[in-house]
Amino acid sequence: MGRSSDSRSERPGQHGRDNPRATGAVRLSDVAAAAGVAAMTVSRALNQPELVSERTRERVQRAVIETGYVPNRVAGALASSRSKMVAVLVPTVAHSIFADVVQSITDTLALDGYQVLLGLTGYQTQEEAAVVDTVLSRRPDAIVLAGTRHSEATRSRLKAARIPVVEIWDMSDDPIDMLIGFSHHAVGAAVADYLLECGYRRFGQAMADDPRSHQRAEGFNKCIRKAQEERPESGIQVTTCWADIPASLAGGRAAAASLLEEMPECEAIVCGSDTLAMGVMAEAQSRGMAIPETLAVMGFGDMSFAAATWPALSTVKIDGAEIGRLTAEHLLGCFNAPSPEPVHNVLDVGFEIMARQTTLTARN
């Protein structure tokens, strides 16, 4: 005789009514029943595993897998005032320069059970403000933001939220809470000093039109102006072309073409990113210009491809992974403190000039 069509309802854990998946969301009590323990024991095994035995943890974990249970983090957050979620807001992840920071924050926080909510703010304060408002409504335990230039409304909301806030990738005398980054103005000045010392005199700048690139250009130009005043006979010149954001190879090529048309005798082009620098190199090589003999190129960011290009790209190294690690460790310290208060600390991680093959260290 064949089986009746309804015999499957008698198989627990499959398709019958006894299976919690057949009647809606799996509850904590369903896991407890499957594991043969009390609901409170399941809660402890999931949220405070150190309080239960290894054998009990294993039973609960097997039951979780069998039932397909997903903890209700919203309810848990209401009960504990913790969401175990950190919002990380960056302008873009189109380039590895910010992706490295996000990955490092994610990896470090995950060791303590925290997850990252990623938000992309673009480069305008109004875009950032909209993202911040949305993120705050999710009640994160902390917020990490790239940059220090925010609207007054955004600063007020972040301070009123009374959660740890870490601004990264910049410097400021007035951080909202914690600041971990470096001075873009100092980067620009250091690049100018380096290239002047190499013997270059006529400069172009291919910069993305965003606030931090403007700071680097300002630092570069200030150093150049000082050199012009000190050595008026040297013929030191600089001109700048602003590329669209986010930076791209095409934007770098277009910027190089514009700069070389305006200043045919240009000796070195300083770029707002390694991506722009690659575009500048492509445009120069398409014109038969030898790098660095005819034209030097300087990038920013020391992306993964910079040392592998031919010739290898001179650039400015920013340790994004270190910024991410320090940010996450600071937040974990705040979470574990009895009553965390704003610390208003500033940590400058600095930067490094990576002198490679697209610049000559001694032209004269």
Side-chain angles (χ1 to χ4, degrees):
M1 296 291 291
R3 290 182 180 177
S4 62
S5 60
D6 63 350
S7 64
R8 289 172 296 176
S9 64
E10 299 174 1
R11 296 168 60 195
Q14 296 294 322
H15 304 289
R17 291 184 179 275
D18 290 339
N19 176 19
R21 296 187 187 185
T23 56
V26 181
R27 296 166 298 180
L28 194 72
S29 58
D30 300 319
V31 179
V37 299
M40 179 61 72
T41 302
V42 174
S43 178
R44 286 175 179 162
L46 296 177
N47 299 307
Q48 296 175 292
E50 69 279 4
L51 298 182
V52 301
S53 69
E54 182 177 353
R55 181 181 177 185
T56 300
R57 286 199 303 271
E58 291 175 353
R59 289 173 62 184
V60 170
Q61 287 301 327
R62 283 197 299 270
V64 166
I65 294 172
E66 289 171 4
T67 61
Y69 175 69
V70 177
N72 186 339
R73 296 301 183 191
V74 173
L78 291 173
S80 66
S81 299
R82 289 284 176 87
S83 66
K84 302 291 282 189
M85 177 180 70
V86 172
V88 179
L89 311 183
V90 296
T92 179
V93 290
H95 307 302
S96 65
I97 202 164
F98 286 115
D100 290 346
V101 179
V102 173
Q103 188 66 59
S104 181
I105 292 174
T106 302
D107 292 344
T108 307
L109 289 177
L111 297 175
D112 217 47
Y114 285 83
Q115 299 298 319
V116 164
L117 173 65
L118 179 63
L120 303 183
T121 59
Y123 292 91
Q124 303 298 323
T125 56
Q126 59 267 33
E127 294 179 57
E128 180 189 68
V131 175
V132 167
D133 284 351
T134 300
V135 164
L136 285 175
S137 72
R138 305 292 181 184
R139 300 297 188 267
D141 290 339
I143 292 184
V144 179
L145 305 96
T148 58
R149 298 190 177 188
H150 320 290
S151 69
E152 284 302 317
T154 295
R155 287 181 63 89
S156 296
R157 288 188 180 95
L158 290 171
K159 289 180 178 179
R162 300 191 64 78
I163 59 175
V165 174
V166 183
E167 295 165 287
I168 61 171
W169 211 257
D170 212 338
M171 276 290 114
S172 170
D173 295 329
D174 184 28
I176 296 172
D177 184 0
M178 179 70 181
L179 174 58
I180 302 175
F182 58 95
S183 168
H184 290 267
H185 192 280
V187 168
V191 169
D193 282 337
Y194 164 68
L195 293 174
L196 286 169
E197 187 176 334
C198 289
Y200 295 102
R201 295 294 179 267
R202 290 180 286 276
F203 304 99
Q205 291 188 96
M207 308 296 285
D209 194 7
D210 67 75
R212 287 171 287 280
S213 291
H214 276 270
Q215 291 179 56
R216 294 196 296 277
E218 181 183 322
F220 185 91
N221 291 336
K222 183 176 181 179
C223 188
I224 293 299
R225 286 194 298 271
K226 181 180 178 182
Q228 289 170 330
E229 294 170 0
E230 293 174 350
R231 292 173 279 172
E233 76 292 344
S234 63
I236 297 174
Q237 303 174 45
V238 61
T239 186
T240 303
C241 179
W242 298 101
D244 292 336
I245 49 177
S248 65
L249 289 172
R253 289 201 66 166
S258 176
L259 290 168
L260 293 171
E261 181 177 346
E262 183 176 347
M263 184 189 287
E265 70 282 11
C266 183
E267 299 171 348
I269 295 182
V270 177
C271 303
S273 71
D274 290 347
T275 302
L276 286 174
M278 292 298 295
V280 168
M281 290 172 65
E283 180 63 24
Q285 290 165 343
S286 74
R287 296 168 177 244
M289 302 176 72
I291 298 173
E293 292 80 7
T294 306
L295 181 71
V297 180
M298 188 80 186
F300 172 78
D302 197 26
M303 294 184 182
S304 58
F305 59 78
T309 63
W310 182 255
L313 180 64
S314 295
T315 185
V316 180
K317 180 178 181 178
I318 308 298
D319 196 340
E322 178 70 357
I323 291 176
R325 183 187 67 81
L326 292 170
T327 298
E329 288 180 352
H330 167 74
L331 291 177
L332 291 174
C334 290
F335 299 153
N336 295 325
S339 56
E341 294 292 336
V343 291
H344 300 291
N345 285 338
V346 176
L347 179 58
D348 188 341
V349 300
F351 55 89
E352 183 180 357
I353 300 289
M354 306 299 292
R356 297 192 179 112
Q357 296 168 338
T358 58
T359 55
L360 292 170
T361 55
R363 290 187 77 242
N364 295 341

